[in-house]
């Protein structure tokens, strides 16, 4: 075993990747990420101590923690050296916090501190050696390990969303304080299994908070998403494809490409950018190109122009891929060999001129599909249709809603979600968010009295919108329990943002969620039982039988 990682749904044999990631992560990059997590946890230990002593943790620390966590999310960063630089920076940030405490008379004995709080390496070689000897398996008890990782992955999801909000100038210290306390908690041997279960549930509560913060950040700057037909075809200009989740990068790119003769298309999780009024106004913003993240190897070849990754999901290109030199990364994302666009300074714009010049030399994209898809059903838009929706439910025209938010993935077993959507009776509506939608958003499932049968709220973080819609419907129908609504939950997960979406739904009291295509490898049998007993979580079966089971409820 040269590495160990089990943080995503595609963990090898649903147990863990041990020599190379199914995602394409090499063992030495995976180990360097373990070392980064180690140093981040040490940093959060001191940050938490600072807060306990009523002192302030500064922005640099919060941002280091956020960005570092984000860079370890599945498919965000494949650049080992970029991760290594974060480790070196972590030593500085962590040790500065310790000094801050010592200056205020709070000192620690090295022997009493965890290795994560003290270990420092001065050379790349020392870091490489250490990286092989830290990580998940250091926690021997499998239930404690499972809960620590569940909290850690939830916090990674929080960090990703907090970073997007941060980039839009929306900061919330309570969220940073929680991330630090929670991660410090994963180093604390005195926490019992029950304590860790409580910490897991609290993680979900902050998941709701951070998604609300990001919703506020996005909608206050770009307007409320509105019902939109998104073009899937192409025009005859050179173009840039933008992928990932960061809307601030989208804004900067649209502004800088305006009048340049270069078009902009969204890819994968950036599709929902098409729904925002502030972006729709640009004539050179053409629409969406391609499908879910895992199809990029084929689709990037035919796109012909440069591709900008603002976040996950990157699939490392094959050695001889023709589009390799057209990939750019920015923010927490990274890829060995790709050009990385540096961070913005003093809240100014990022400089995308290099990508724009590159695009001008490229052929226009090759058309791979035509037509349109409809989306933009975030909470504000759905509430504007509320009367229609409520009438349709009361008249029986809509019998049930199915929340099918989450992630997509490359495994064949995900055909389940396409089949499930097709098996659903005509009087049902799918509520979706995240890239899970690509399994059924082009099926042409029709509408019910003008309400499309697939309502796409947006990116995975817009699962928050689905929760807001559920809570509003609960009010309208004067119900006491969110679980009494005619809404079923059949969620697809892949990476750690889906973990926080799941924990957020649990914290809102949603029960009986079905999770697939497999339950997480990091859930030990005992921890899985807690989730089953407390929340009625279960897996998936066959599409037809599952539809029958849900409809009979
Ligand atoms: Fe394996 Fe997923 Fe970890 Fe990649 S992120 S190494 S696929 S468990
Ligand atoms: Fe997808 Fe990677 Fe999770 Fe934001 S783009 S949902 S998997």
């Amino acid at each position: 075993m040269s590495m160990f990682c089990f943080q995503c749904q595609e963990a090898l044999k649903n147990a863990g990747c041990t020599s190379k990631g199914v995602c394409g992560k090499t063992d030495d990059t995976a180990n360097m990420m373990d070392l980064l997590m180690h140093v981040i946890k040490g940093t959060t230990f001191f940050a938490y101590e600072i807060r306990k002593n009523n002192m302030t943790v500064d922005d640099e620390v919060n941002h280091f923690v956020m960005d570092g966590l984000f860079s370890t999310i599945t498919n965000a960063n494949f650049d080992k050296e970029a991760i290594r630089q974060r480790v070196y920076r972590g030593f500085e940030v962590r040790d500065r916090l310790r000094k801050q405490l010592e200056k205020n008379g709070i000192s620690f004995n090295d022997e009493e501190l965890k290795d994560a709080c003290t270990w420092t390496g001065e050379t790349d070689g020392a870091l490489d050696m250490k990286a092989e000897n830290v990580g998940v398996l250091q926690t021997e008890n499998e239930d404690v390990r499972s809960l620590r990782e569940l909290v850690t992955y939830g916090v990674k999801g929080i960090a990703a969303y907090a970073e997007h909000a941060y980039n839009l100038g929306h900061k919330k210290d309570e969220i940073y304080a929680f991330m630090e306390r929670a991660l410090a908690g994963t180093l604390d041997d005195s926490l019992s299994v029950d304590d860790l279960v409580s910490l897991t549930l609290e993680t979900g509560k902050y998941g709701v908070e951070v998604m609300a913060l990001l919703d506020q950040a996005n909608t206050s700057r770009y307007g409320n998403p509105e019902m939109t037909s998104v073009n899937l075809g192409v025009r005859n200009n050179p173009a840039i494809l933008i992928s990932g989740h960061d809307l601030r990068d989208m804004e900067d790119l649209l502004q800088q490409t305006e009048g340049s003769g270069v078009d902009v298309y969204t890819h994968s999780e950036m599709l929902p950018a098409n729904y925002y009024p502030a972006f729709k106004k640009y004539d050179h913003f053409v629409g969406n190109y391609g499908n879910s993240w895992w199809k990029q190897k084929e689709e990037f070849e035919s796109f012909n122009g440069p591709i900008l990754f603002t976040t996950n999901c990157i699939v490392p290109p094959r050695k001889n891929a023709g589009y390799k030199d057209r990939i750019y990364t920015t923010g927490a994302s990274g890829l060995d060999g790709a050009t990385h666009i540096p961070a913005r300074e003093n809240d100014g714009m990022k400089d995308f001129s290099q990508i724009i010049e590159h695009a001008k030399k490229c052929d226009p994209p090759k058309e791979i599909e035509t037509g349109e898809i409809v989306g933009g059903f975030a909470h504000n838009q759905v509430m504007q249709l509320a009367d229609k929706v409520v009438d349709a439910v009361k008249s029986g025209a809509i019998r049930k809603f199915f929340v099918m938010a989450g992630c997509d993935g490359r495994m064949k077993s995900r055909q389940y979600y396409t089949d499930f959507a097709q098996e659903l009776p005509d009087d049902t509506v799918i509520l979706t968010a995240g890239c899970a939608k690509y399994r059924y958003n082009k099926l042409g499932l029709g509408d019910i009295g003008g309400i499309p049968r697939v309502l796409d709220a947006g990116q995975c973080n817009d699962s928050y919108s689905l929760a807001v819609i559920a809570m509003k419907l609960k009010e309208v129908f004067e119900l006491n329990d969110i679980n009494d609504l005619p809404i079923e939950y059949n969620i697809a997960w892949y990476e750690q943002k889906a973990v926080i979406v799941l924990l957020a739904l649990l914290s809102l009291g949603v029960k009986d969620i079905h999770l697939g295509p497999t339950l997480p490898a990091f859930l030990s049998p005992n921890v899985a039982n807690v989730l089953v007993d407390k929340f009625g979580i279960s897996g998936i079966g066959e599409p037809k039988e599952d539809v029958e089971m849900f409809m009979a409820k």
Side-chain angles (χ1 to χ4, degrees):
M1 191 190 290
S2 58
M3 61 172 278
F4 184 79
C5 178
F6 63 172
Q7 67 174 354
C8 86
Q9 191 273 325
E10 293 185 358
L12 190 67
K13 298 192 177 135
N14 207 32
C17 298
T18 53
S19 59
K20 185 183 193 300
V22 172
C23 58
K25 191 160 71 174
T26 56
D27 52 359
D28 55 340
T29 304
N31 293 336
M32 194 54 75
M33 286 185 178
D34 286 346
L35 183 58
L36 177 57
M37 287 305 301
H38 195 64
V39 179
I40 289 175
K41 289 186 177 187
T43 306
T44 59
F45 170 85
F46 292 117
Y48 180 38
E49 290 297 319
I50 287 178
R51 290 183 190 272
K52 276 199 285 191
N53 287 284
N54 297 320
M55 289 181 274
T56 315
V57 174
D58 62 61
D59 213 38
E60 194 203 346
V61 179
N62 297 326
H63 193 255
F64 163 73
V65 171
M66 238 184 301
D67 163 79
L69 289 168
F70 200 170
S71 70
T72 68
I73 279 186
T74 303
N75 291 344
N77 202 313
F78 292 88
D79 184 351
K80 179 186 171 188
E81 293 314 308
I83 303 297
R84 187 197 299 283
Q85 291 318 312
R86 287 175 170 89
V87 173
Y88 280 127
R89 181 146 171 256
F91 295 146
E92 278 168 36
V93 174
R94 180 195 67 187
D95 297 347
R96 177 166 68 72
L97 291 179
R98 184 173 176 176
K99 282 200 191 98
Q100 186 182 336
L101 281 157
E102 282 166 358
K103 252 198 218 151
N104 285 279
I106 304 151
S107 55
F108 301 88
N109 182 340
D110 265 7
E111 266 90 77
E112 286 165 10
L113 286 173
K114 290 276 179 168
D115 184 67
C117 303
T118 56
W119 191 84
T120 302
E122 314 228 307
T123 62
D124 288 1
L127 262 58
D128 287 335
M129 267 172 65
K130 182 69 176 178
E132 288 174 18
N133 296 299
V134 289
V136 172
L137 297 177
Q138 280 194 312
T139 304
E140 277 167 22
N141 179 303
E142 72 163 353
D143 296 327
V144 175
R145 184 198 306 150
S146 176
L147 287 163
R148 283 181 176 173
E149 294 313 304
L150 182 53
V151 168
T152 302
Y153 304 150
V155 172
K156 286 189 185 191
I158 293 177
Y161 297 151
E163 165 100 29
H164 293 307
Y166 181 97
N167 291 343
L168 293 167
H170 288 243
K171 304 175 188 176
K172 200 164 184 183
D173 204 47
E174 290 111 275
I175 293 174
Y176 310 144
F178 174 74
M179 291 199 291
E180 289 154 13
R181 173 161 62 85
L183 290 182
T186 65
L187 283 182
D188 185 349
D189 295 329
S190 73
L191 294 191
S192 65
V193 163
D194 283 349
D195 294 334
L196 287 167
V197 170
S198 311
L199 191 57
T200 308
L201 300 184
E202 221 188 332
T203 307
K205 183 176 149 253
Y206 283 94
V208 178
E209 295 257 319
V210 77
M211 284 192 269
L213 178 74
L214 181 52
D215 183 75
Q216 172 67 24
N218 287 337
T219 55
S220 61
R221 188 155 173 139
Y222 306 122
N224 276 300
E226 48 194 32
M227 185 156 68
T228 306
S229 288
V230 180
N231 169 40
L232 302 176
V234 300
R235 301 201 308 196
N236 201 22
N237 297 324
I240 296 169
L241 189 60
I242 174 166
S243 191
H245 301 70
D246 196 278
L247 295 187
R248 181 73 195 275
D249 288 337
M250 182 75 194
E251 177 189 344
D252 288 3
L253 183 68
L254 282 172
Q255 281 193 26
Q256 290 173 47
T257 40
E258 195 175 23
S260 69
V262 172
D263 286 340
V264 173
Y265 295 77
T266 53
H267 171 255
S268 191
E269 268 289 70
M270 198 55 92
L271 158 67
N274 287 276
Y275 312 151
Y276 286 89
F279 300 142
K280 285 163 80 164
K281 68 175 191 216
Y282 290 99
D283 291 336
H284 68 295
F285 181 20
V286 180
N288 191 68
Y289 190 86
N291 291 280
S292 186
W293 61 269
W294 56 275
K295 292 201 171 162
Q296 61 190 252
K297 283 186 176 167
E298 294 73 40
E299 295 173 351
F300 287 180
E301 292 284 2
S302 60
F303 185 74
N304 291 331
I307 300 118
L308 172 64
F309 274 105
T310 64
T311 67
N312 57 319
C313 273
I314 302 173
V315 179
R318 294 183 192 100
K319 270 202 179 81
N320 54 356
Y323 63 87
K324 240 173 133 180
D325 69 332
R326 287 192 266 119
I327 295 193
Y328 292 78
T329 59
T330 191
S333 71
L335 176 70
D336 197 18
T339 308
H340 190 79
I341 305 293
R344 54 180 61 79
E345 279 171 28
N346 306 322
D347 205 36
M349 272 208 237
K350 279 188 187 170
D351 180 2
F352 291 131
S353 55
Q354 197 184 347
I355 311 181
I356 298 168
E357 288 314 307
H358 188 159
K360 286 179 183 166
K361 296 185 202 112
C362 297
D363 287 340
K366 183 176 155 218
E367 194 148 77
I368 51 173
E369 56 188 331
T370 54
E372 290 179 336
I373 44 171
V374 181
F377 298 95
H379 55 89
N380 185 278
Q381 175 66 84
V382 174
M383 284 311 126
Q384 282 177 25
L385 298 171
D387 289 349
K388 235 178 168 178
V389 172
V390 170
D391 285 350
V393 174
K394 283 190 176 155
S395 73
I398 295 179
R399 200 150 38 118
K400 265 186 197 289
F401 295 93
F402 283 83
V403 170
M404 290 177 71
C407 305
D408 194 13
R410 69 195 117 202
M411 297 298 165
K412 286 216 168 63
S413 53
R414 295 205 183 236
Q415 175 66 26
Y416 166 92
Y417 293 101
T418 309
D419 296 345
F420 183 89
Q422 265 167 330
E423 288 288 342
L424 282 174
D426 291 345
D427 54 4
T428 57
V429 169
I430 295 173
L431 302 173
T432 192
C435 61
K437 66 169 82 63
Y438 284 100
R439 288 282 168 179
Y440 39 78
N441 68 345
K442 295 175 183 173
L443 292 177
L445 294 180
D447 65 271
I448 300 175
I451 303 166
R453 286 195 54 227
V454 179
L455 295 179
D456 176 24
Q459 298 180 330
C460 45
N461 47 286
D462 296 308
S463 301
Y464 168 75
S465 252
L466 305 181
V468 171
I469 294 166
M471 287 185 294
K472 283 267 162 46
L473 288 178
K474 182 184 123 190
E475 242 175 77
V476 176
F477 289 110
E478 294 176 354
L479 298 170
N480 292 323
D481 187 342
I482 203 166
N483 295 296
D484 292 339
L485 285 165
I487 303 182
E488 307 295 341
Y489 293 81
N490 196 0
I491 306 271
W493 85 284
Y494 170 58
E495 38 81 45
Q496 299 75 54
K497 294 187 222 174
V499 174
I500 195 58
V501 169
L502 175 72
L503 295 179
L505 290 173
L506 298 183
S507 92
L508 290 171
V510 177
K511 296 238 156 60
D512 299 333
I513 296 175
H514 288 251
L515 185 67
T518 52
L519 291 183
F522 55 81
L523 294 183
S524 67
N526 287 333
V527 172
N529 281 340
V530 172
L531 294 181
V532 172
D533 292 348
K534 255 182 136 95
F535 302 104
I537 292 224
S538 53
I540 57 169
E542 292 304 316
K544 203 165 183 273
E545 281 97 72
D546 281 3
V547 169
E548 281 165 15
M549 172 272 299
F550 278 120
M551 293 310 292
K553 274 195 186 178

